[in-house]
Amino acid sequence: MRAWLAIAAGIALGVGVAWWLGREAPDATSRKQARADDAAAAQARETRPSLYRWRDDAGVLQITEQPPKGRRYERIDRDTPAGIRVSGDAATDAD
């Protein structure tokens, strides 16, 4: 009867050690969540309609719907945010 008890205790100990070694640290979980949030934000940014601003060989400014191949470009959102944004100080009276 004691042999079965030793076997059961050994199995329980093995399962406990496997669980302990297989779990992730809390900081690793938070880092994974931060990477997932960054990836979701980047994917959302990529799905917005946009235009691409770049310069050709002659230095002429080009704005196209497709990014140029092998050139630096700036991505511009096509849709502007709704509403009016005001920033800065109130206008001063010029007398």
Side-chain angles (χ1 to χ4, degrees), residues 55-76:
R55 296 202 179 262
D56 61 9
D57 291 333
V60 177
L61 178 66
Q62 303 288 328
I63 297 177
T64 60
E65 291 184 352
Q66 298 296 323
K69 295 191 188 307
R71 293 190 178 276
R72 294 186 55 184
Y73 60 88
E74 179 184 356
R75 185 182 181 126
I76 305 167

Side-chain angles (χ1 to χ4, degrees), residues 32-79:
K32 276 186 179 179
Q33 183 62 40
R35 282 196 314 263
D37 292 343
D38 291 344
Q43 188 175 20
R45 219 176 304 121
E46 291 294 321
T47 59
R48 291 191 310 233
S50 59
L51 296 172
Y52 300 92
R53 181 184 332 182
W54 53 281
R55 296 202 179 262
D56 61 9
D57 291 333
V60 177
L61 178 66
Q62 303 288 328
I63 297 177
T64 60
E65 291 184 352
Q66 298 296 323
K69 295 191 188 307
R71 293 190 178 276
R72 294 186 55 184
Y73 60 88
E74 179 184 356
R75 185 182 181 126
I76 305 167
D77 285 337
R78 186 182 303 182
D79 296 333

Side-chain angles (χ1 to χ4, degrees), residues 3-5 9 21-22 29 57 61 70 73 85-86:
W4 289 104
L5 183 60
L21 295 175
T29 303
D57 291 333
L61 178 66
Y73 60 88
R85 291 187 299 182
V86 178

